[in-house]
Amino acid sequence: MSKRKGKGVDDVTTVKRQRSVTADLKHPRPSSSRGTPSSTGDIGLIESITLKNFMCHRWLGPFQFGPNVNFIVGNNGSGKSAILTALIVGLGGKATVTNRGMSLKDFVKSSENTADITVKLRNRGQDAFKRDVYGDCISIEHRISSDGCRTCRLKNKSGQLVSNKKEELTAILDHFNIQLDNPVSILNQEMSKQFLHSKSESDKYKFFMKATLLEQMRRDYIHIKQTKTVTRQQVERQEESLKDLKQEFLQKKERYEKWPSFSEMKVVLENLKKAMAWSLVREKEQLVQQLQEDVEKETNNPKHQDNLQLCQSEVTQVEKTLQYIKSRVDGMRQEQESLSEDNLRLKEEVKVVSKAHKEQELVYFRALNKLKQSEKEQDLLQEKMNKARTSVSFDNYVDTEYTKQQKKISSLKEQLAELETKGSKLNQEIKNKHQALFTGREERDKLRLEERNIQVVYESKLRRKNQILASRTNKLKRFGEQVPDLLGSIAEAYATGRFLKRPVGPIGACISLKDPMLAVAVECCLRSFMKAFCCDNYKDEAVLQELMCRYYPKGNRPQLIVSRFSEKVYNIHGRKAHHPEYPSVLDIITATSPVIINCLIDMRAIESILIIKEKDKARRVMQQSRPPKNCREAFTAEGDQVFSNRYYTSDFSMAKYLGGDLETEISMLESDLENHQAQLSRFQLHVSSVTEDIISMENVLNNTIMTLKTTLASVNQVKASITELETAGEEHIDDISSLEEVAQENRQKLEAEKQSVYEAKTELDQHQRAAEDTESKYSAVRERIDQLSEDTEALKDEQLKLDAECAKRERTLKILETKLKAHDDNIQAMNIELAEREEELQEYVAKATEISPERQQVTGSTRSIDTEITRLKKTIKVFESNHGEQEQVVREYAQALALYREKTNQVRDLRRFIDQLDNIMSDRQDRYKTMRRSLSVRCKLYFNNFLIKMNCCGSMVFDHNNETLSISVKPPGREDHGVSDMRSLSGGERSFSTVCFMLSLWEITESPFRCLDEFDVYMDMHNRRISLDLLLELSERQHLRQFIFITPLTTSNLPKTSLIKIHQLQDPERVRSETMDEDV
């Protein structure tokens, strides 16, 4: 085990330990017990153990252990602890780990030379260790000699020797995750007693750290830090010595380079002086030639003039188009005004004709009702006449009183007819007023809705104006007032380590255009992605969502896109749209990070979208012929979206985020705000007027309803009087002659009323036709006015676009005129400078001719020649004063160069290694603290759950700063005494608490088997029963792990199950002999 402990920084061991702990962190419950059999339960289990001449036993075993629960039961001295000790030693453990001896020779039985231990480990499933070599079982045989030496032999299932190296055994233990010095895997008597009787909280904390291997990790980290500190100090010392070494090397190099002969150096110096003179001439000639080329290039460059003429033609064209649209708008306005007068006139005519039609309709129905009433009266009169003719006793008596009643009835009927006519008029009037009131309310609601819509548009444009004004000082405010504060919070959170990688956004703020004229097209293409943010992972997304909650209401937050960050742009060679004339969106944008480009490729496929400025060309490319390869859509400069089979017009008039002309946008917004404000004022006045009309109509309607109620009451009174008179008149005998006269009058009256109905119907039809004609004319005028309004609005929108375009072209024209003037001034300045440089060139040629009449061919630069002249002068001076042997100078220079290069490489490599180690250790320290906190929290939770099984409650407090672990327990019946620590508990209660603590550690650590020696020795039967139940419950959940429990007490009360295997050891020889003596 010493070799395994020494691998503190070994990669394999560290990975194994991290895998065992992180696996438990990911699965709070022992998920391995529910895994596949090949993952946990088939490797590392102890199949059997055999002892020979070990400690005081001549032969023990072989013990065939079950795969789950094993109880080793026996009296003191029967060999229970010897089996546990042999297991540790048989797997390569030191004697000191067993707490039963200081040396291996202590384990050899007295009077014997050697002791043998054979341990067989299960090796099955997909994770088996070299299964093709060892098979399903690995046999580990140790022979310990009396002088303390031991040999190890590793055999396969067939008994063939595979290896006898300790490294192979260490690899097997690492592969099976067997930790012999971990008390969680094997807890012997001494370790249990120390924990039970320990009063120090720091000892408990050390026990926890050792059990979870955190102590081993901490020692490894401390060792690495110490080694790093020593290495850093060595590097610093090496760097100091490297400075001296470099100085020495430079001195040797200088001596080596200065060795040329004295005469040759003088000749070289003279030639360099001549070359220096003509080199200066060459530089001046090159400068003059470059100036001449620049002047000629700028003079022959028609770019500025062509751009100016093109811009002037564009401005003229836009002004002509704008003038044409203005003339059309004026013509439509005049036509609209003319139609408005016709509309008002026809509206009044419609009202007059409708009113006349309704009045005539009322006359018609009144005559029709009167005719029906007369017909009913004639029928009643005829019935009375028939009755009178058939009467047996006919009395010629004529009652004058009856005649008076008939006259009174006729008068009341006339009065009733007038009242009914009045009621019909009132009902029709109420109906008309209801309809007018409904129309008025509907118009008021419509006006209020339009008013609210205009108010929303007004507020939206006002906010946009404020954003643009604010973006004069901070461009990020274009994307929202909250964006600068949000980015500040993101930077702060990233600085504190809340983000794994800093989010990027808004996307619109991270991109720029190669052609600003295409801003509208790009914004129409990206739309909501302009304000989106990019995150590397879902954890960063959750943190960013939390930050956004401070600045954005729910449902109105920017979009978050989660995609793994990459430092390189995707390879889209096979997916990109290609066209010889028109670029894709990917071609015209640049981004601050490849993350932005990759995100837009993923979410919007910008590599397959073309930008075609003109609408006609876009339609021709996308719709009149087959679209280019890989192209699925295109956008025009105005933002129109073009597909192969459809075309969508953009509602964008100006770029909101990528546009650079803020003043024009502000002026357009101010103009729109003024128009909307005027519209709001007109709508408010109109709404007030309509509301007043509605209130007036409601008052008139209420008065009419009251009049109708009064009329109906009068009608009921008249009907009652008529009924009363007719009932009284039936008692009299009708006069035949008078009845016939009345009947004749009624027939004449009927004929007259029929003629009246016919005339009223004829006149009603005439009014109906007139009303329909007038209404059709009015509808035609109204539709024409609406059509003109829509056309005028469309032209006004086009006019606004052209006004903006014209203003923009005029500004561009001014800029181009300024550039042309600057271009002409630049050419003039360059001609002046050219004349001055030519005069300087003549002077340099004259001086060079004096030094060297023949022109020299120079290859180096003037600066290098001057440096070489200075160096040669110094070299000659030094050489004249001091010179040495050539062979010695060359040898010393070669040795100094090799030594300096070697030391430089060593220091650089060590410095790079230390920097990498700093980053790795910082990350490891953070993970170590997180793991320690997680393990301690889970240990506390499991400990509390196990105490509840005993109806106890307690607490477990970790203090990682002071490295203490405080365990407090309240036994049943002592809840009111306050929380006490384990020192106040009885031996059984303390043992039970220890078992609970061990079970908690078992829950959070990984091991193929667990051994517990005499855990119940201090427990009463009640606590022992609860402890056994807890152990069996845990073993049932973790049925793929192996448990070995050693106890001197009876196991008769254990349940009978296939998962439990009991090994009953025989009593020691002295106990058997005493028993035999007693029997004798």
Side-chain angles (χ1 to χ4, degrees):
M1 289 303 295
S2 60
K3 186 174 292 185
R4 295 181 69 219
K5 283 187 177 180
K7 293 183 179 181
V9 294
D10 185 72
D11 292 339
V12 176
T13 307
T14 303
V15 170
K16 288 289 183 181
R17 289 170 179 164
Q18 287 181 348
R19 182 177 64 184
S20 65
V21 179
T22 54
D24 189 69
L25 283 175
K26 293 181 180 178
H27 306 283
R29 300 300 300 167
S31 61
S32 60
S33 64
R34 298 292 181 261
T36 59
S38 64
S39 61
T40 303
D42 284 346
I43 61 171
L45 301 186
I46 303 171
E47 291 191 347
S48 68
I49 184 169
T50 306
L51 312 180
K52 180 181 178 183
N53 297 329
F54 187 78
M55 295 181 71
C56 59
H57 305 280
R58 181 174 302 278
W59 184 271
L60 284 178
F63 296 99
Q64 301 294 334
F65 290 106
N68 191 228
V69 180
N70 297 270
F71 281 90
I72 301 176
V73 184
N75 293 324
N76 292 333
S78 60
K80 302 187 301 300
S81 299
I83 294 174
L84 189 62
T85 304
L87 177 62
I88 297 175
V89 176
L91 293 177
K94 291 183 179 180
T96 54
V97 177
T98 66
N99 291 323
R100 303 300 294 268
M102 299 302 296
S103 175
L104 293 176
K105 63 183 179 181
D106 297 335
F107 299 128
V108 181
K109 191 175 184 298
S110 301
S111 72
E112 297 292 340
N113 294 326
T114 59
D116 294 326
I117 304 172
T118 302
V119 180
K120 292 185 178 180
L121 299 179
R122 182 173 293 181
N123 188 45
R124 303 176 187 171
Q126 297 179 353
D127 293 336
F129 182 81
K130 297 181 180 179
R131 187 174 182 183
D132 55 340
V133 178
Y134 288 97
D136 293 342
C137 177
I138 300 176
S139 180
I140 304 172
E141 297 181 359
H142 272 83
R143 171 162 290 183
I144 304 172
S145 61
S146 57
D147 58 356
C149 298
R150 67 175 169 186
T151 58
C152 175
R153 293 186 296 174
L154 303 176
K155 297 182 178 180
N156 60 15
K157 183 179 180 180
S158 302
Q160 297 177 353
L161 180 64
V162 176
S163 175
N164 56 5
K165 295 182 180 180
K166 183 65 180 295
E167 290 77 8
E168 183 76 3
L169 177 59
T170 302
I172 292 173
L173 297 179
D174 284 339
H175 184 80
F176 291 165
N177 196 24
I178 298 175
Q179 304 149 11
L180 299 178
D181 56 346
N182 191 341
V184 173
S185 297
I186 303 176
L187 183 65
N188 53 38
Q189 293 183 31
E190 294 300 323
M191 182 66 71
S192 178
K193 289 178 182 178
Q194 290 177 11
F195 182 75
L196 283 174
H197 297 92
S198 176
K199 299 180 181 180
S200 173
E201 296 179 349
S202 62
D203 291 341
K204 296 184 180 67
Y205 186 84
K206 291 177 181 177
F207 185 88
F208 166 77
M209 296 289 285
K210 185 175 182 181
T212 56
L213 294 182
L214 292 173
E215 181 65 24
Q216 179 66 35
M217 292 174 65
R218 183 171 64 178
R219 288 199 300 268
D220 292 341
Y221 291 157
I222 292 173
H223 176 71
I224 292 173
K225 286 183 179 180
Q226 292 174 351
T227 305
K228 184 191 69 175
T229 303
V230 172
T231 305
R232 190 184 295 276
Q233 292 174 356
Q234 292 178 354
V235 170
E236 291 174 354
R237 289 195 295 269
Q238 290 291 335
E239 287 177 345
E240 292 296 328
S241 63
L242 189 63
K243 294 179 181 178
D244 299 335
L245 192 63
K246 182 179 180 180
Q247 188 66 29
E248 182 180 357
F249 160 71
L250 292 176
Q251 291 176 359
K252 298 291 179 63
K253 180 180 180 181
E254 186 177 3
R255 289 183 60 189
Y256 172 78
E257 293 176 348
K258 291 181 179 179
W259 179 250
S261 64
F262 185 72
S263 58
E264 291 177 352
M265 285 189 290
K266 283 191 174 182
V267 173
V268 171
L269 181 61
E270 290 298 327
N271 293 333
L272 286 175
K273 289 180 179 178
K274 296 178 181 179
M276 183 66 179
W278 287 106
S279 176
L280 293 173
V281 172
R282 185 191 61 183
E283 285 186 355
K284 292 297 180 181
E285 288 176 346
Q286 291 176 352
L287 181 59
V288 170
Q289 183 179 0
Q290 183 64 36
L291 281 174
Q292 289 175 348
E293 292 176 356
D294 292 341
V295 170
E296 184 178 0
K297 181 179 178 180
E298 291 296 326
T299 304
N300 298 329
N301 185 8
K303 175 182 176 181
H304 296 283
Q305 187 66 33
D306 293 343
N307 290 340
L308 182 62
Q309 293 177 355
L310 179 61
C311 187
Q312 287 174 346
S313 63
E314 289 177 350
V315 169
T316 304
Q317 184 66 30
V318 171
E319 287 177 349
K320 289 180 179 178
T321 307
L322 185 61
Q323 189 64 32
Y324 170 75
I325 290 176
K326 286 182 178 179
S327 64
R328 286 193 61 190
V329 169
D330 293 336
M332 287 184 179
R333 187 181 295 112
Q334 292 175 2
E335 184 180 357
Q336 194 172 7
E337 290 174 356
S338 175
L339 289 173
S340 297
E341 296 175 358
D342 296 338
N343 180 56
L344 293 175
R345 177 178 56 78
L346 289 173
K347 187 175 181 181
E348 292 299 326
E349 289 180 4
V350 167
K351 289 182 179 180
V352 172
V353 172
S354 298
K355 184 176 180 182
H357 176 263
K358 290 178 181 178
E359 290 175 353
Q360 184 60 35
E361 188 178 25
L362 184 61
V363 171
Y364 168 74
F365 285 113
R366 188 185 304 157
L368 186 61
N369 290 334
K370 190 173 181 180
L371 175 62
K372 290 179 181 180
Q373 184 67 29
S374 298
E375 289 175 349
K376 287 182 181 180
E377 290 176 357
Q378 182 66 20
D379 294 337
L380 290 174
L381 186 60
Q382 187 66 36
E383 184 179 354
K384 287 180 182 181
M385 291 173 63
N386 293 335
K387 286 182 179 180
R389 289 192 185 98
T390 58
S391 177
V392 178
S393 58
F394 180 78
D395 192 357
N396 292 324
Y397 174 77
V398 178
D399 192 351
T400 57
E401 187 66 26
Y402 173 73
T403 304
K404 294 179 180 179
Q405 289 180 354
Q406 289 297 324
K407 292 181 179 180
K408 188 174 182 180
I409 289 172
S410 298
S411 175
L412 289 174
K413 286 183 177 181
E414 292 178 358
Q415 184 180 355
L416 178 62
E418 292 178 357
L419 289 174
E420 288 178 346
T421 302
K422 183 178 181 182
S424 299
K425 289 182 179 180
L426 291 174
N427 278 324
Q428 186 63 32
E429 186 176 353
I430 290 171
K431 183 178 179 181
N432 294 337
K433 291 186 181 299
H434 271 299
Q435 183 64 31
L437 184 61
F438 175 77
T439 304
R441 288 173 177 170
E442 189 178 18
E443 183 179 3
R444 182 184 63 184
D445 294 340
K446 190 181 297 183
L447 289 172
R448 285 178 176 174
L449 179 61
E450 293 181 359
E451 180 185 0
R452 283 196 297 270
N453 293 337
I454 294 174
Q455 183 69 31
V456 169
V457 175
Y458 176 81
E459 292 175 355
S460 173
K461 293 193 175 182
L462 184 60
R463 286 195 301 271
R464 178 62 185 165
K465 176 186 174 183
N466 294 333
Q467 285 183 0
I468 295 175
L469 291 175
S471 66
R472 287 176 170 175
T473 56
N474 190 344
K475 292 185 177 180
L476 291 174
K477 288 190 176 181
R478 284 191 176 191
F479 302 90
E481 292 289 336
Q482 313 93 328
V483 171
D485 296 335
L486 175 60
L487 292 179
S489 299
I490 291 174
E492 182 179 352
Y494 179 72
T496 57
R498 295 186 65 189
F499 289 110
L500 298 179
K501 290 188 179 181
R502 182 170 181 172
V504 181
I507 290 179
C510 300
I511 63 175
S512 58
L513 301 179
K514 298 178 181 179
D515 186 358
M517 301 291 290
L518 301 176
V520 175
V522 174
E523 287 192 16
C524 289
C525 175
L526 302 183
R527 291 191 176 271
S528 61
F529 293 115
M530 295 293 294
K531 301 173 72 174
F533 284 78
C534 301
C535 295
D536 176 71
N537 53 77
Y538 288 100
K539 179 182 177 182
D540 291 350
E541 181 201 20
V543 176
L544 184 55
Q545 285 279 16
E546 179 185 349
L547 295 178
M548 284 186 174
C549 290
R550 306 176 188 173
Y551 304 100
Y552 293 95
K554 189 174 182 180
N556 193 26
R557 298 172 190 162
Q559 183 177 357
L560 298 183
I561 302 169
V562 181
S563 179
R564 183 68 61 186
F565 287 0
S566 174
E567 298 299 328
K568 296 181 179 179
V569 178
Y570 294 155
N571 183 7
I572 44 102
H573 180 72
R575 297 185 285 119
K576 186 179 179 183
H578 294 282
H579 195 277
E581 298 182 20
Y582 308 116
S584 65
V585 177
L586 178 62
D587 296 329
I588 66 170
I589 66 172
T590 57
T592 58
S593 170
V595 174
I596 300 296
I597 299 297
N598 292 340
C599 176
L600 294 177
I601 290 174
D602 288 336
M603 302 302 295
R604 195 63 184 89
I606 58 175
E607 76 282 4
S608 63
I609 303 175
L610 293 180
I611 299 297
I612 306 174
K613 293 185 178 181
E614 294 81 3
K615 295 181 181 180
D616 298 337
K617 293 182 179 179
R619 289 181 183 273
R620 184 173 65 253
V621 171
M622 296 297 296
Q623 296 179 349
Q624 295 181 6
S625 60
R626 187 174 181 180
K629 183 180 179 182
N630 297 328
C631 177
R632 61 186 185 87
E633 59 182 300
F635 282 86
T636 66
E638 297 177 356
D640 295 348
Q641 191 175 13
V642 187
F643 291 92
S644 60
N645 57 353
R646 57 192 185 278
Y647 188 98
Y648 297 108
T649 304
S650 171
D651 54 353
F652 282 29
S653 59
M654 183 171 288
K656 294 175 63 177
Y657 305 110
L658 302 177
D661 194 355
L662 298 180
E663 300 303 327
T664 301
E665 188 172 357
I666 290 173
S667 62
M668 291 182 65
L669 286 173
E670 288 177 347
S671 176
D672 291 342
L673 288 173
E674 290 177 0
N675 294 335
H676 288 313
Q677 186 65 41
Q679 291 179 4
L680 282 174
S681 300
R682 290 197 301 271
F683 272 109
Q684 289 170 356
L685 291 175
H686 198 173
V687 168
S688 300
S689 174
V690 172
T691 303
E692 291 177 359
D693 293 342
I694 289 172
I695 293 173
S696 175
M697 285 190 289
E698 287 176 348
N699 293 332
V700 174
L701 179 61
N702 292 332
N703 294 333
T704 305
I705 291 172
M706 292 303 296
T707 305
L708 177 61
K709 289 180 179 180
T710 304
T711 303
L712 292 176
S714 300
V715 168
N716 293 333
Q717 290 178 0
V718 172
K719 285 182 178 181
S721 300
I722 293 172
T723 303
E724 183 179 356
L725 290 173
E726 286 178 348
T727 303
E730 287 177 356
E731 297 176 358
H732 297 281
I733 299 172
D734 295 328
D735 187 4
I736 292 297
S737 59
S738 61
L739 289 174
E740 289 178 349
E741 292 177 358
V742 173
Q744 184 63 29
E745 292 177 359
N746 285 342
R747 281 193 290 272
Q748 294 176 358
K749 186 178 180 182
L750 280 173
E751 292 298 328
E753 287 176 352
K754 287 181 180 180
Q755 183 64 28
S756 299
V757 168
Y758 175 77
E759 293 175 355
K761 177 64 176 174
T762 303
E763 190 171 355
L764 178 63
D765 293 338
Q766 293 177 356
H767 282 288
Q768 177 71 25
R769 288 191 293 273
E772 289 176 355
D773 294 339
T774 307
E775 185 67 28
S776 63
K777 292 179 181 179
Y778 174 74
S779 298
V781 172
R782 184 71 260 172
E783 289 176 358
R784 179 56 181 167
I785 291 175
D786 294 339
Q787 181 66 33
L788 286 174
S789 299
E790 293 176 0
D791 296 341
T792 303
E793 289 298 325
L795 287 174
K796 285 183 178 179
D797 293 340
E798 186 69 21
Q799 183 179 352
L800 290 175
K801 291 182 181 179
L802 289 173
D803 284 334
E805 182 70 18
C806 185
K808 190 172 183 180
R809 299 291 184 185
E810 288 176 354
R811 287 194 299 272
T812 305
L813 182 62
K814 292 180 180 179
I815 293 171
L816 291 175
E817 290 175 351
T818 304
K819 287 184 178 180
L820 181 61
K821 185 176 182 303
H823 176 68
D824 295 336
D825 295 340
N826 185 35
I827 293 175
Q828 185 177 358
M830 290 173 66
N831 286 324
I832 295 173
E833 184 180 2
L834 177 61
E836 295 174 354
R837 297 301 180 187
E838 287 176 347
E839 292 178 1
E840 290 179 3
L841 175 61
Q842 296 300 326
E843 294 175 1
Y844 274 82
V845 169
K847 292 180 181 179
T849 305
E850 291 178 359
I851 297 173
S852 175
E854 186 177 353
R855 181 166 185 142
Q856 302 289 324
Q857 298 295 327
V858 183
T859 57
S861 64
T862 303
R863 184 174 181 179
S864 63
I865 295 174
D866 182 68
T867 303
E868 186 67 17
I869 290 173
T870 304
R871 188 187 65 80
L872 277 176
K873 287 181 179 179
K874 291 181 180 179
T875 303
I876 291 172
K877 185 176 180 181
V878 172
F879 187 84
E880 289 175 347
S881 62
N882 183 22
H883 58 86
E885 296 180 0
Q886 182 178 4
E887 184 178 355
Q888 180 182 358
V889 170
V890 172
R891 184 175 61 255
E892 289 177 354
Y893 169 72
Q895 293 174 352
L897 176 61
L899 182 60
Y900 175 72
R901 287 179 177 176
E902 179 183 359
K903 293 296 182 182
T904 301
N905 293 334
Q906 289 178 357
V907 171
R908 184 184 66 250
D909 294 339
L910 285 174
R911 177 64 67 183
R912 186 180 302 163
F913 169 76
I914 291 173
D915 293 339
Q916 293 177 352
L917 188 60
D918 284 337
N919 297 331
I920 294 172
M921 287 304 298
S922 176
D923 181 67
R924 286 293 181 90
Q925 287 287 351
D926 293 338
R927 296 188 180 188
Y928 168 80
K929 292 178 182 178
T930 303
M931 183 186 299
R932 183 180 63 185
R933 181 171 61 254
S934 175
L935 290 175
S936 59
V937 169
R938 292 182 57 207
C939 186
K940 288 191 290 185
L941 292 175
Y942 286 122
F943 181 77
N944 291 333
N945 290 335
F946 289 129
L947 285 181
I948 292 173
K949 303 287 186 179
M950 191 182 172
N951 296 326
C952 297
C953 59
S955 64
M956 180 182 291
V957 180
F958 288 85
D959 187 351
H960 297 296
N961 294 328
N962 298 321
E963 297 185 352
T964 60
L965 170 57
S966 174
I967 300 177
S968 302
V969 180
K970 287 197 299 184
R974 285 187 270 173
E975 290 84 354
D976 299 333
H977 295 166
V979 179
S980 58
D981 59 14
M982 293 178 63
R983 290 175 291 179
S984 64
L985 303 177
S986 65
E989 292 171 339
R990 193 182 305 171
S991 297
F992 175 77
S993 302
T994 303
V995 171
C996 292
F997 182 53
M998 285 300 301
L999 292 178
S1000 302
L1001 293 176
W1002 283 2
E1003 290 282 6
I1004 64 174
T1005 56
E1006 293 285 339
S1007 179
F1009 62 83
R1010 309 183 189 279
C1011 300
L1012 201 57
D1013 188 10
E1014 295 191 3
F1015 63 93
D1016 54 353
V1017 67
Y1018 296 108
M1019 294 185 187
D1020 55 19
M1021 293 308 295
H1022 175 69
N1023 288 330
R1024 185 172 184 267
R1025 177 71 262 173
I1026 296 175
S1027 298
L1028 285 174
D1029 291 340
L1030 290 176
L1031 292 171
L1032 292 178
E1033 180 185 352
L1034 177 64
S1035 65
E1036 184 178 357
R1037 291 200 311 271
Q1038 302 181 5
H1039 65 275
L1040 294 180
R1041 292 182 184 166
Q1042 189 180 45
F1043 298 85
I1044 301 175
F1045 303 124
I1046 301 175
T1047 176
L1049 304 180
T1050 179
T1051 57
S1052 59
N1053 56 349
L1054 291 175
K1056 303 300 182 179
T1057 174
S1058 60
L1059 296 177
I1060 300 176
K1061 189 172 184 179
I1062 300 174
H1063 305 272
Q1064 182 69 46
L1065 301 183
Q1066 296 181 0
D1067 292 337
E1069 294 180 0
R1070 61 178 183 276
V1071 176
R1072 290 201 301 271
S1073 62
E1074 290 174 359
T1075 305
M1076 292 174 63
D1077 293 341
E1078 290 175 359
D1079 294 339
V1080 173

